[in-house]
Amino acid sequence: MRSMFLGGCAATALFLSQAVVAEEGMWLPNQTPELAGKLKEAGLEIDPAMLSDLQAAPLNAIVSLGGCSAAFLSPDGLVATNHHCVYGSIQYNSKPGQDYLTDGFLAKTNADEVQAAPGSRIYVIEDLRDVTSMMNKGVTTKLDGLTRFDKLEANRKNLIAACEKQANRRCDVRAYFGGYTYYLQQQLEIKDVRLVYAPASGIGNFGGETDNWQWPRHTGDFGFYRAYVAPDGTSAPYAKDNVPYRAKSWLKIATTPLTEGDFVMVAGFPGVTQRLQTAAEVKHVFDSVYPVEQQLRADYSDTIVKATAGNPATQIKYASILKGSDNYKKKLLGEIAGADAIGLMARKDAADTAFRAWVAEDKSRTAKYGPALTALDRNISEANDARVNALRLSTINRSQLLSAATLLYRWAKEQQKPDAQRDSGYQERDRLPVSERLAQLDRRYDAGVDRVIFDQALTEYRKVPADKRTTAFEAKLAEIGVDRLYADTKLADSATRASWLNKSPAEFEASDDPFIQLAVAAYPTIIADEKNTKARSGRIQAARSVVMAGQLAFAKSQGRTLYPDANGSLRFTYGKVTGKVRDGQIWTPFTTAEGVVAKHTGRGEFDAPDAAIARLKAKDFGNYVDPTLGTLPVNFLSTVDITNGNSGSSTLNAKGEFVGLAFDGTLDGVVADWSFDSSVNRTIHVDGRYMLWTMEKVDGADRLLREMGVN
């Protein structure tokens, strides 16, 4: 499509002449000193030390949404993130006749800003510190797997409890390099989160699943929340008299146009990568796990579509669930295809072979790392054997009432223990999040749809060999019957569901609610399976932590610096604005307004708002024209290294200024979760200029523009 390119042979020659700089790595802030020289060489203009300072911009402006990333763009708690990151809150506030999913939402004043979905949070980073020595206190090689797991977990909970003695803090301890090191991440937890603005679906989700993970892309994937606190400035749940949070730092909107070849960086909270896993783990996932998981996801999406067809009310209720499932099923297809395209297994085999050869070359290294490698291989083989069955068994939890009943009974059982001895997720610190999770069902549940989903899940569940299934659960289900499950349960009622949070195990065991009876029947098997998993996890941690110490030493011997796999903690990554050449295709770095008009059909996924199309056709681009392109940029590509969880991450220029939001990768590059390849890896960003243009010219969000210092 010619309108999506810079135009003609001259532009192609310009693009081909650009050197592609792809910098692999999701770096911890404390690794900045090792990278300072590379950062400056790549084009960073601010002092690299600023990227290790969590008390000042830019990193102090970066926040987590507990699954997405975001950033403050004003001192009054205004947070920019992706449209798909606020999608759950748009859905939660929508209903027939008030369809914010389709029409968008804009609060004209602070008073018009609405509560985000239950459980929404804004987490402001305050500290990320090494606690390895405290985590390893009392952990010795003499401990068996379960005892080791329990000791590490007890140490972790003690550290979290000490951190959370500070009011309104949410703390967590995460493993890095397979448990070779541990860091505690401390964040201010803001509980009153409100939806401020989200453009219409025809901008925020333009192209839908058809364009998802694709280039060229023309999606205005952005939205805004605001953080609110009590009048005295402390974090508090929603209350009408709460006030906007005063951010310590916020990002400045760039005024210098972003161009091809420019340095960019992204800071956020990437979720999970598996680049440091062994060849055996990777082979099992791609040969056995992913094909099944992808099919399960596809069937789940198809089931929801069929069950909600022709019913706008249920389509709205399940929109967020469906969007998540669709996204992941397509990503899995990309990872499977990408693994073949880059020769993933050959890469992993070569890396494994090189490391093991290095270990074998030296007797001291063989003594130090050899036994751990053997133990790791053995325990990984055991873990692999259980993964596919576990996937199929877990599908029954897609029934939201069964999932709720299981959660509630487990909560009641855990409350019988002292708080410090309860399993993570069931401590007093988790009471509010659990109650909010239960409250979400009010606007995301329909009995008829849930019944269809449960029936489909049971089909998958029964594909697991009988000796691997839960006998007591099946017997109770046969006794009750699926019809009675939905006819006799009271858990669909919000108040009834919430009341069970305060009941004893004995009350659950005496209940005649069929879903609760199922949960009680399944509980012993769940706990037994968890115990086995914990024991195996302890053994794997004991081995992997030693192996990773070896991998770090191996990398150092080669002059390489390793970064840990993503685990939801704060990271930064950097690269260049650049496109890509594929067989028969040239991907230029920017897409433009002309591409939106060309794709617009007025139907389905390509239905942009009339006001947007009219202004684009009239070339009413205001102050947002790119001087090089001669038009309005929409999306751009870069070589920064991201994954899930980076959605909503602010993209910064060399001066640390806001130039857009990362929101996607390309389908051929999602295999980077397992192995980074600079020839295919590209991140897709919504250009800040398209965001500002939409806000000014389409939706009239002038008060937000003024707040951000734009107008």
Side-chain angles (χ1 to χ4, degrees):
M1 193 177 297
R2 293 178 66 89
S3 61
M4 297 175 195
F5 298 124
L6 291 176
C9 296
T12 301
L14 172 65
F15 171 69
L16 291 176
S17 70
Q18 295 287 328
V20 177
V21 178
E23 293 293 349
E24 174 183 354
M26 301 175 188
W27 301 99
L28 289 165
N30 68 359
Q31 292 184 292
T32 303
E34 300 172 74
L35 301 172
K38 287 186 175 182
L39 285 164
K40 296 299 284 186
E41 183 181 348
L44 180 67
E45 295 180 19
I46 62 175
D47 184 350
M50 294 176 68
L51 299 181
S52 61
D53 186 356
L54 302 188
Q55 306 307 313
L59 292 190
N60 190 242
I62 307 301
V63 300
S64 170
L65 303 180
C68 280
S69 301
F72 290 119
L73 292 192
S74 90
D76 290 322
L78 186 67
V79 166
T81 188
N82 286 153
H83 185 274
H84 72 262
C85 293
V86 302
Y87 195 82
S89 292
I90 306 170
Q91 175 272 321
Y92 194 80
N93 283 286
S94 294
K95 57 186 177 182
Q98 183 179 288
D99 188 358
Y100 297 145
L101 287 169
T102 300
D103 302 331
F105 172 80
L106 174 64
K108 295 296 185 182
T109 68
N110 281 15
D112 299 318
E113 296 170 2
V114 298
Q115 278 184 269
S120 298
R121 294 288 189 275
I122 293 173
Y123 297 101
V124 183
I125 188 70
E126 293 182 330
D127 197 8
L128 186 62
R129 58 183 180 269
D130 190 328
V131 293
T132 306
S133 62
M134 290 174 278
M135 275 294 293
N136 286 332
K137 188 175 181 180
V139 178
T140 70
T141 57
K142 296 179 180 179
L143 301 182
D144 62 35
L146 182 58
T147 307
R148 184 184 186 92
F149 178 93
D150 287 342
K151 184 61 180 174
L152 285 167
E153 187 65 6
N155 290 346
R156 175 179 171 273
K157 286 187 284 190
N158 287 339
L159 286 164
I160 290 171
C163 179
E164 292 183 354
K165 286 181 179 178
Q166 306 169 84
N168 304 312
R169 266 55 186 182
R170 193 73 177 181
C171 305
D172 196 13
V173 176
R174 299 167 194 249
Y176 297 75
F177 297 117
Y180 175 65
T181 56
Y182 292 88
Y183 282 78
L184 184 146
Q185 183 165 270
Q186 175 183 313
Q187 296 168 304
L188 172 66
E189 179 183 22
I190 296 178
K191 305 181 187 73
D192 186 351
V193 180
R194 304 188 194 181
L195 180 64
V196 176
Y197 168 54
S201 179
I203 288 177
N205 194 31
F206 185 79
E209 277 306 302
T210 300
D211 272 7
N212 191 20
W213 304 107
Q214 303 295 321
W215 188 262
R217 194 74 172 273
H218 300 82
T219 308
D221 196 345
F222 70 94
F224 288 87
Y225 278 145
R226 192 184 303 278
Y228 277 79
V229 293
D232 65 1
T234 60
S235 179
Y238 173 85
K240 286 191 69 175
D241 62 349
N242 282 354
V243 298
Y245 169 73
R246 294 293 294 177
K248 293 180 180 178
S249 303
W250 58 94
L251 301 177
K252 178 184 176 183
I253 307 299
T255 56
T256 303
L258 191 68
T259 62
E260 182 177 359
D262 278 357
F263 173 96
V264 287
M265 57 185 171
V266 160
F269 297 82
V272 178
T273 56
Q274 299 92 358
R275 296 175 187 175
L276 299 177
Q277 289 198 357
T278 68
E281 289 174 290
V282 176
K283 180 175 175 58
H284 179 73
V285 166
F286 281 87
D287 287 353
S288 302
V289 178
Y290 268 7
V292 173
E293 188 171 9
Q294 201 283 327
Q295 187 60 57
L296 291 175
R297 283 284 176 178
D299 291 345
Y300 185 34
S301 291
D302 291 346
T303 299
I304 293 172
V305 169
K306 291 175 183 176
T308 60
N311 187 332
T314 57
Q315 287 173 338
I316 288 173
K317 284 185 175 182
Y318 283 81
S320 182
I321 296 171
L322 178 61
K323 187 175 180 66
S325 182
D326 280 347
N327 182 65
Y328 194 51
K329 76 176 185 184
K330 191 168 184 179
K331 183 183 180 184
L332 287 172
L333 283 176
E335 291 195 30
I336 292 168
D340 289 337
I342 70 168
L344 175 63
M345 280 317 307
R347 288 183 178 204
K348 297 301 296 186
D349 283 337
D352 252 19
T353 298
F355 172 62
R356 290 170 191 258
W358 177 80
V359 170
E361 286 171 359
D362 182 271
K363 288 183 179 180
S364 64
R365 292 199 293 261
T366 301
K368 189 173 184 179
Y369 306 123
L373 274 167
T374 300
L376 184 60
D377 290 342
R378 181 177 62 251
N379 283 288
I380 284 171
S381 177
E382 180 186 326
N384 285 347
D385 291 342
R387 291 186 69 170
V388 173
N389 285 340
L391 269 179
R392 294 193 189 280
L393 292 172
S394 69
T395 58
I396 60 171
N397 290 314
R398 291 173 178 171
S399 164
Q400 295 192 73
L401 293 193
L402 178 58
S403 179
T406 302
L407 170 64
L408 286 163
Y409 184 53
R410 178 66 177 273
W411 179 267
K413 295 289 282 187
E414 293 290 335
Q415 301 314 295
Q416 305 304 298
K417 309 173 188 176
D419 191 62
Q421 295 177 23
R422 297 172 193 166
D423 279 353
S424 295
Y426 301 94
Q427 294 180 280
E428 194 57 34
R429 68 193 289 268
D430 304 304
R431 180 178 289 273
L432 180 59
V434 167
S435 67
E436 290 171 327
R437 176 178 165 187
L438 294 169
Q440 290 179 4
L441 271 67
D442 293 345
R443 301 182 194 178
R444 293 180 182 166
Y445 169 81
D446 176 84
V449 176
D450 200 76
R451 166 70 188 269
V452 173
I453 290 171
F454 187 51
D455 283 339
Q456 194 273 333
L458 285 173
T459 300
E460 293 298 336
Y461 173 90
R462 289 167 180 146
K463 292 178 182 179
V464 176
D467 64 332
K468 305 294 184 184
R469 304 200 301 254
T470 307
T471 304
F473 169 84
E474 293 184 46
K476 182 58 69 174
L477 180 61
E479 174 191 325
I480 296 169
V482 177
D483 289 339
R484 194 186 133 210
L485 272 179
Y486 289 91
D488 293 356
T489 187
K490 301 296 188 296
L491 286 180
D493 176 71
S494 181
T496 300
R497 199 165 55 246
S499 72
W500 281 100
L501 262 179
N502 301 308
K503 296 190 178 183
S504 68
E507 290 174 286
F508 278 83
E509 290 147 16
S511 173
D512 61 0
D513 188 289
F515 273 111
I516 288 177
Q517 290 179 338
L518 273 185
V520 171
Y523 178 80
T525 302
I526 292 172
I527 295 302
D529 289 346
E530 277 191 13
K531 184 176 180 180
N532 290 333
T533 300
K534 289 176 180 178
R536 185 166 57 244
S537 295
R539 295 193 298 271
I540 288 176
Q541 189 277 339
R544 200 189 297 274
S545 59
V546 175
V547 170
M548 285 312 308
Q551 290 278 15
L552 287 162
F554 178 48
K556 187 175 182 180
S557 73
Q558 298 180 316
R560 295 184 291 119
T561 301
L562 283 187
Y563 55 92
D565 266 320
N567 61 0
S569 63
L570 179 64
R571 309 291 181 93
F572 71 88
T573 174
Y574 64 98
K576 297 282 187 182
V577 176
T578 189
K580 183 168 70 174
V581 177
R582 300 181 66 191
D583 183 35
Q585 300 178 20
I586 297 173
W587 289 4
T588 52
F590 290 91
T591 56
T592 65
E594 287 73 19
V596 178
V597 174
K599 282 185 175 180
H600 172 71
T601 64
R603 300 182 304 277
E605 297 174 319
F606 296 93
D607 185 11
D610 291 342
I613 293 300
R615 289 187 179 275
L616 292 176
K617 286 183 175 179
K619 299 190 181 301
D620 182 6
F621 303 144
N623 296 323
Y624 309 112
V625 175
D626 182 275
T628 302
L629 300 175
T631 184
L632 173 68
V634 176
N635 294 156
F636 65 89
L637 289 173
S638 83
T639 59
V640 300
D641 186 5
I642 69 167
T643 188
N644 293 83
N646 273 121
S647 289
S649 293
S650 287
T651 308
L652 312 179
N653 63 13
K655 298 177 181 178
E657 299 167 332
F658 180 89
V659 293
L661 295 168
F663 73 92
D664 211 354
T666 58
L667 200 61
D668 60 343
V670 293
V671 72
D673 280 1
W674 300 86
S675 181
F676 184 92
D677 188 314
S678 62
S679 69
V680 298
N681 185 75
R682 293 295 182 275
T683 292
I684 305 175
H685 312 249
V686 57
D687 196 298
R689 291 165 289 187
Y690 188 58
M691 294 172 58
L692 300 177
W693 176 85
T694 302
M695 295 171 74
E696 178 183 334
K697 298 291 186 177
V698 180
D699 290 329
D702 295 331
R703 79 173 183 106
L704 300 181
L705 292 170
R706 289 192 298 271
E707 183 178 341
M708 294 157 55
V710 176
N711 286 341

